[in-house]
Structures are given as C-alpha cells and as structure tokens.
C-alpha cells in the first residue's frame, strides 16, 4: 500500500532521500574544515590540494550520468548500496594515503564516484516518478538535505577535527553513512510508483474523462540538440562554481580575513541552516509561480552574497551576510531537475539531470582550483569569489530565458513545432 490513512508514502521517500543528501552533499560541500589540516599534515601546498579537490569535483560530475543510467537500469536501491560501498572503501584508502598520487586516487577519484552514486542524481528519478502535482515542492524538500548538510556537517567536521583528527573524522563519516543508507535503501526506496502518483481524485477523474495520447520522450541525442537543456547546463555551471568554491575555500578565506576556525565554520554553517527554512518556503512556491522567475531571484541574491562575504569584517556582518544569502542558497538544483522533468518527461530525468549536473561539477572543478591558485598567485580571494558573483548574476539573466511550465519537448508535443 502507498497510503497509510491519508499519508502518501512518497513523502517517506522524500524524507529519507533528504537525509541521505545531508550526508553525501554535506561531505561534498564540507571539504573546507578538512582543507588546511590535510594540507599541513601531508605537506601539500594549497595549490596542490586544491588541484586534487578540483579533480575530485570533475570525477563527481562525470559519475553523475553514470548514476542516472544505473538507476534507470538497476534501480535506486542497487545504486545507493553500490555508492555506499565505494565510499567506505575509499575513506579507508584515504586515511592510509601518504603520497599525493595515492591521495588523489582515493580522495579525489574514488570517494567522488561513491558520493555521486549516493547524491541527489540517484534520488531525483524516484521522486519525479512518485510526484506529479507537487513535484517542485518534493524536489525542493530533497534539496533541504544538502543545505542541512552544510549547516550541520561543516561545524561538526570542524569541531571533530579539532577534537580528534581529520582521519578519525572521515572514518566516522563513512560509518554513519553506511549505518543510515543500508536500511533506507532496503526498506524505504521503492521505484514502482502508483499509476497516478500524488494526483488527487478529481485530477485523476479529469484525466480519465479526457484521455490524450501519451507523450513519448525524445531520444538522448535529440535532447542534446535542444536549447533548454544547455540553458540548465550553464545555470548549473554557475551554481557549481559558487557552491564548491564556498565549500572548499570559504573557511580558508574567512580565516585569512581574521576569523578563527570555529567562527568561520559557523558562518558557513549558518548559510546552510538558514537555507533549510528558505528551502521550505521556496518549495511551496515552486509549483505556484514560474520556476524560471524563482531561479533568477535565487541566482541574483546569491551572486550579491558572494561579493558581501569577501568584504565582511565583523562577526555581525558575517552572520548577516550568511543569513541573507542562506535564504536563497538552495533551490537552483531542485528547480533545474523539475524543469528538465517538465520539458523532457520523467523517463530520462535521471540521465539528463546527471549530464546537466556535469556542468555543475565542471564549474566546481574550476573554482576549487582557482580558489587555491588565485590566492597564492595574487594574494587575494577576489579573483575566485568575484568571479563567482559575476557568474551568478549572468545565470540570473539566463534563467529568465528558460521555458515556462507547460512547454514540453516530447513526442506529440513536437508536432507542428518549427
């Protein structure tokens, strides 16, 4: 049964998926607390470690289409269990790595692949199948996990590293991920959604009274020739550039500007904490206002927030900038996946989201490297953080050109189009 009383089982899947996202993206976006301790312990320069992190971002992105493909072929449960196993093995390798090459392969490559297989890309298809009427809201609630990850794991990692070591902290993360993911994958994730998903009785009756031809998804190569996909790709590039820059270099940047490690981690964590509540509010708007307008507002305020973070000089200014930026920190990824499902249908959403998310990680790769190289070369963080602000403002403008809800590029919908 999918209903318990009036409770829709799909919300159990959303809650479990958000929890898993908290861990996987919390680790991916929470590298900041690990950055300086790893560099000092292993004798890496900032540029070298930033380059390793950048390779990891690229591998994370390249594994996204693989995650989407495996979900379509083998199901959500298989992908989550496989990803968890890879994460555990890669963490064991990482804490025993001593050379740059070994650390690159363990932390940069293998861990990134494992995290990609437990990321929202593996969870978006199942939620898209379980929700039609409230798809935007459900995907927004999924993104609360990533923001909770930033809010919770960034200060937790900073505290745990200070109390123990970065190796013990990383091992603890892998243990918690395995303990939570295995039962969720086995007992909560159900790929077979009800025929009409979350539609209400009157909506189902209306569909049955007015049957129409079932739209068929485009072939993947045809999707690659359409502009909406590349608009989403470019918007996610700016999103990934900014989010991974903050996750990797946000704490070092604030510490270079005079804040201590705990204050810096609390500032970054506050963005994620506020974003949880911001996401809940934005999620309720996602199915009521044009998605592209909401995305444009998110990118606009986030872009201005990046300029603000570089100039803050007091605790009050840091927490104020973090609070305002956190209100719209999440949502662009949820809106992107919802737009892809709206335009191209749910059958390909996992693969398309994975391919579009590759743009996110290409941006993250560049910013992770630029943050280290730019500071060591020019002695300022404006090179990387200023670039992020500009890209986010451009993404806000591009978002306004995205299709409105109701525009589809599927089989029957193409008839009569130019």
């Amino acid at each position: 049964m999918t209903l318990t009383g009036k409770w829709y089982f799909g919300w159990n899947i959303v809650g479990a998926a958000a929890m898993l996202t908290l861990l996987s993206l919390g680790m991916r976006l929470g590298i900041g607390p690990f950055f300086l301790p790893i560099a000092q312990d292993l004798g890496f320069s900032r540029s070298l470690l930033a380059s390793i992190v950048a390779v990891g971002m690229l591998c994370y992105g390249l594994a996204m289409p693989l995650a989407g493909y495996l979900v379509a072929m083998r199901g959500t449960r298989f992908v989550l269990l496989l990803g968890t196993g890879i994460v555990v093995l890669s963490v064991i390798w990482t804490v025993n790595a001593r050379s740059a090459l070994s650390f690159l392969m363990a932390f940069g490559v293998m861990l990134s692949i494992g995290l990609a297989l437990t990321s929202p890309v593996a969870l978006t298809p199942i939620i898209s199948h379980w929700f039609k009427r409230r798809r935007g809201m459900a995907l927004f609630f999924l993104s609360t996990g990533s923001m909770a990850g930033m809010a919770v794991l960034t200060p937790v990692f900073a505290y745990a590293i200070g109390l123990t070591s970065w190796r013990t902290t990383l091992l603890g993360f892998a243990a918690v991920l395995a303990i939570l993911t295995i039962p969720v994958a086995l007992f909560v994730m159900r790929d077979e959604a009800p025929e009409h998903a979350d539609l209400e009785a009157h909506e189902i009756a209306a569909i049955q009274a007015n049957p129409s031809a079932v739209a068929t998804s485009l072939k993947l190569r045809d999707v690659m020739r359409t502009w909406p996909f590349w608009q989403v790709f470019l918007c996610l590039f700016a999103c990934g550039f900014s989010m991974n820059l903050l996750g990797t270099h946000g704490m070092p940047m604030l510490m270079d500007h005079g804040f201590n490690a705990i204050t810096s981690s609390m500032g970054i964590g506050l963005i994620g904490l506020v974003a949880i509540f911001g996401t809940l509010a934005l999620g309720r708007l996602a199915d009521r206002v044009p998605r592209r307008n909401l995305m444009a507002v998110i990118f606009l305020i986030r872009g201005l927030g990046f300029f603000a973070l570089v100039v803050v000089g007091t605790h009050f200014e840091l927490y104020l900038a973090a609070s305002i930026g956190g209100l719209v920190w999440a949502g662009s990824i949820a809106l992107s996946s919802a737009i892809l499902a709206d335009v191209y249908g749910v059958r390909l959403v996992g693969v398309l989201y994975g391919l579009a998310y590759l743009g996110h990680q290409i941006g993250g790769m560049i910013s992770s490297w630029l943050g280290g190289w730019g500071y060591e070369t020019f002695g300022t963080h404006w090179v990387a953080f200023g670039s992020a602000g500009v890209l986010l403002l451009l993404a806000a403008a591009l978002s306004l050109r995205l299709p409105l809800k109701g525009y589809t590029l599927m089989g029957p919908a193409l008839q009569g189009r130019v």
Side-chain angles (χ1 to χ4, degrees):
M1 293 183 63
T2 59
L3 292 173
T4 304
K6 293 185 178 181
W7 180 255
Y8 183 56
F9 187 82
W11 291 115
N12 295 344
I13 295 175
V14 171
M19 180 181 67
L20 297 184
T21 300
L22 182 155
L23 294 172
S24 65
L25 273 186
M27 180 69 243
R28 186 75 282 170
L29 298 175
I31 296 176
F34 290 91
F35 193 86
L36 293 180
I38 289 174
Q40 293 165 1
D41 184 36
L42 298 180
F44 296 163
S45 67
R46 287 197 188 192
S47 294
L48 175 59
L49 183 54
S51 298
I52 292 174
V53 172
V55 171
M57 297 298 177
L58 180 60
C59 292
Y60 186 69
L62 291 172
M64 290 294 185
L66 174 63
Y69 174 79
L70 288 176
V71 167
M73 294 296 102
R74 300 296 301 272
T76 306
R77 180 178 300 166
F78 171 84
V79 174
L80 290 177
L81 294 175
L82 175 62
T84 301
I86 294 174
V87 168
V88 171
L89 291 175
S90 66
V91 165
I92 294 172
W93 185 2
T94 297
V95 299
N96 289 286
R98 294 296 182 268
S99 68
L101 178 60
S102 181
F103 190 83
L104 167 65
M105 296 304 298
F107 186 81
V109 177
M110 192 172 173
L111 178 61
S112 297
I113 294 173
L115 291 174
L117 297 182
T118 57
S119 74
V121 170
L123 300 164
T124 294
I126 190 173
I127 292 176
S128 296
H129 279 88
W130 275 82
F131 290 88
K132 293 182 179 179
R133 184 168 61 93
R134 294 184 175 180
R135 180 179 293 156
M137 180 185 294
L139 290 172
F140 251 101
F141 288 173
L142 171 64
S143 69
T144 61
S146 62
M147 297 305 99
M150 179 185 294
V152 174
L153 292 190
T154 299
V156 166
F157 284 157
Y159 177 78
I161 291 170
L163 190 64
T164 58
S165 68
W166 68 266
R167 289 186 173 87
T168 302
T169 302
L170 200 56
L171 286 169
F173 162 79
V176 171
L177 179 68
I179 290 170
L180 293 179
T181 303
I182 292 172
V184 164
L186 294 177
F187 303 114
V188 180
M189 295 301 164
R190 304 179 186 176
D191 288 307
E192 299 78 16
E195 180 183 0
H196 297 293
D198 64 329
L199 295 179
E200 295 184 348
H202 70 277
E203 294 170 316
I204 297 173
I207 292 174
Q208 293 172 339
N210 298 285
S212 57
V214 177
T216 57
S217 299
L218 297 177
K219 293 182 178 179
L220 187 59
R221 64 174 179 271
D222 295 325
V223 172
M224 296 296 101
R225 299 190 184 104
T226 61
W227 179 229
F229 171 80
W230 292 107
Q231 287 175 289
V232 171
F233 184 95
L234 292 172
C235 286
L236 286 179
F237 174 89
C239 177
F241 189 102
S242 60
M243 294 187 79
N244 288 289
L245 175 67
L246 187 69
T248 304
H249 297 284
M251 269 191 65
M253 181 270 291
L254 292 173
M255 292 173 68
D256 288 334
H257 290 179
F259 297 99
N260 62 36
I262 297 300
T263 300
S264 300
S265 69
M266 293 298 292
I268 302 301
L270 182 60
I271 294 176
L273 178 63
V274 174
I276 297 173
F277 302 99
T279 299
L280 295 176
L282 292 173
R284 297 188 177 276
L285 297 175
D287 297 308
R288 300 179 183 179
V289 302
R291 303 197 202 280
R292 67 182 190 183
N293 294 358
L294 202 56
M295 186 179 288
V297 170
I298 288 171
F299 281 133
L300 174 63
I301 299 178
R302 194 188 296 177
L304 296 176
F306 262 80
F307 295 126
L309 280 175
V310 185
V311 300
V312 295
T314 66
H315 288 60
F316 173 77
E317 292 172 348
L318 171 60
Y319 296 144
L320 178 63
S323 298
I324 295 174
L327 289 173
V328 294
W329 187 252
S332 54
I333 294 176
L335 287 170
S336 297
S337 55
I339 289 170
L340 288 172
D342 291 342
V343 175
Y344 300 107
V346 298
R347 187 179 71 84
L348 289 176
V349 69
V351 176
L352 292 181
Y353 182 36
L355 289 170
Y357 206 91
L358 177 58
H360 188 280
Q361 291 311 115
I362 291 174
M365 175 192 70
I366 295 172
S367 67
S368 296
W369 167 80
L370 183 62
W373 176 84
Y375 182 77
E376 287 192 339
T377 303
F378 299 101
T380 177
H381 290 283
W382 270 108
V383 175
F385 282 79
S387 298
V390 171
L391 283 173
L392 289 167
L393 296 182
L394 292 174
L398 181 60
S399 296
L400 293 174
R401 306 296 298 173
L402 284 163
L404 289 167
K405 190 175 182 180
Y407 178 91
T408 61
L409 285 172
M410 298 178 70
L414 289 176
Q415 296 175 5
R417 285 192 183 278
V418 178

